[in-house]
């Protein structure tokens, strides 16, 4: 199975400042169809996961453009250009390229300093 | 509005059984494969099982293979997870979720399963 490794695991941020988190996979996530199926999810306390980004960099409906995804191959990044209070939560990367199974990273916990 | 509503969670003794349900609405359920994902308390997300739209293809994560059975009833727009031989390590919130590769991503609110004597 593909191992997804996130860093950092904890990310204290200042409101209005940028934040960035990384996700690395144990093998290339380029599918034979040419797509790279890497998603990012936000999970606020007490809530279900909400997908923010799919296929590395495509924003889901309703996701603000201050949130962006990038990367290729085995290295992927989620960036928040200006952190707001509503961004507090745990962020997970997930791969759906080499499936089954889907595999998730351990999560990066974003909190306000 | 798309909704996935899980039910059937609760407290069960080790070795016991539970059947989870996921009621879907707001989309054409019979067109979608579906998944179960769980999250142990304070832990990350773990994919468990997938069933195709016609039930012809089924996959399981190794730790639940032989103990859990996924099924669906397209006429009722419902997904199920029969869980047998439950262990303490199966304690988690269980989510049903749509496929995650495309432009749609649906998740339920989850149902808590606690395995304890």
């Amino acid at each position: 199975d593909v191992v997804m490794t996130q860093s950092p695991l904890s990310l204290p941020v200042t409101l209005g400042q940028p934040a960035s988190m990384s996700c690395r996979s144990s093998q290339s996530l380029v599918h034979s169809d040419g797509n790279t199926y890497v998603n990012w999810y936000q999970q606020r306390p007490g809530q279900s996961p909400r997908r923010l980004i799919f296929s590395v960099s495509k924003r889901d409906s309703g996701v603000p453009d201050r949130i962006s995804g990038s990367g290729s191959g085995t290295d992927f990044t989620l960036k928040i250009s200006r952190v707001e209070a509503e961004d507090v939560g745990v962020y997970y990367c997930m791969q759906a390229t080499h499936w089954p199974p889907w595999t998730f990273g351990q999560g990066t916990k974003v909190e306000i300093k | 509005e798309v909704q996935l509503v899980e039910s059937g969670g609760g407290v069960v003794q080790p070795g016991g059984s539970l059947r989870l349900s996921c009621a879907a609405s707001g989309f054409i359920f019979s067109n979608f494969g579906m998944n179960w994902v769980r999250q142990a308390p304070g832990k990350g997300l773990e994919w468990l099982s997938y069933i195709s739209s016609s039930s012809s293809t089924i996959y399981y994560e190794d730790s639940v293979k032989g103990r859990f059975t996924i099924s669906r009833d397209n006429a009722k727009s419902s997904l199920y997870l029969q869980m047998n031989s439950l262990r303490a390590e199966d304690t988690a919130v269980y989510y049903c979720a749509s496929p995650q590769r495309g432009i749609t991503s649906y998740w339920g609110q989850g149902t808590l399963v606690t395995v304890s004597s």
Side-chain angles (χ1 to χ4, degrees):
Chain A
D1 298 351
V2 176
V3 177
M4 304 291 279
T5 303
Q6 290 186 241
S7 63
L9 299 185
S10 177
L11 184 56
V13 296
T14 300
L15 289 174
Q17 293 300 303
S20 179
M21 61 196 80
S22 170
C23 179
R24 291 186 172 175
S25 59
S26 59
Q27 59 184 277
S28 174
L29 296 182
V30 180
H31 193 274
S32 57
D33 65 9
N35 294 305
T36 301
Y37 296 108
V38 171
N39 302 339
W40 289 92
Y41 297 82
Q42 176 195 58
Q43 189 174 33
R44 293 171 173 150
Q47 295 187 12
S48 306
R50 170 199 179 198
R51 196 178 70 180
L52 302 174
I53 300 288
F54 66 100
S55 297
V56 179
S57 59
K58 299 176 182 176
R59 263 187 299 272
D60 274 281
S61 176
V63 175
D65 60 8
R66 56 192 180 78
I67 293 176
S68 63
S70 63
S72 63
T74 60
D75 288 337
F76 304 93
T77 301
L78 183 73
K79 292 182 178 178
I80 306 173
S81 60
R82 299 173 308 280
V83 171
E84 298 186 4
E86 66 177 20
D87 298 328
V88 166
V90 181
Y91 292 76
Y92 296 95
C93 60
M94 186 202 87
Q95 70 83 24
T97 294
H98 302 293
W99 168 91
W102 295 341
T103 49
F104 296 88
Q106 319 96 299
T108 292
K109 186 174 184 179
V110 171
E111 55 186 11
I112 305 300
K113 283 181 183 175
Chain B
E1 180 195 6
V2 169
Q3 279 198 313
L4 292 173
V5 180
E6 300 93 339
S7 60
V11 180
V12 61
Q13 292 188 339
S17 298
L18 275 179
R19 187 193 195 209
L20 305 184
S21 299
C22 170
S25 60
F27 66 104
I28 304 175
F29 179 77
S30 59
N31 285 355
F32 287 77
M34 292 294 294
N35 298 268
W36 286 100
V37 176
R38 71 181 176 186
Q39 186 171 35
K43 302 297 184 183
L45 298 163
E46 179 185 29
W47 173 86
L48 293 181
S49 185
Y50 164 84
I51 185 168
S52 63
S53 57
S54 65
S55 302
S56 59
T57 299
I58 288 175
Y59 300 121
Y60 295 101
E61 194 268 335
D62 286 347
S63 69
V64 305
K65 206 173 291 183
R67 299 189 300 126
F68 291 9
T69 302
I70 192 171
S71 63
R72 65 189 295 157
D73 184 337
N74 286 340
K76 295 182 178 179
S77 295
S78 292
L79 176 72
Y80 306 102
L81 187 67
Q82 176 66 44
M83 305 187 297
N84 298 330
S85 303
L86 283 162
R87 307 165 180 167
E89 55 265 35
D90 295 318
T91 295
V93 174
Y94 286 72
Y95 298 100
C96 58
S98 69
Q100 298 292 304
R101 280 185 175 180
I103 61 172
T104 57
S105 171
Y106 309 139
W107 291 71
Q109 88 289 348
T111 187
L112 176 62
V113 172
T114 302
V115 184
S116 174
S117 54

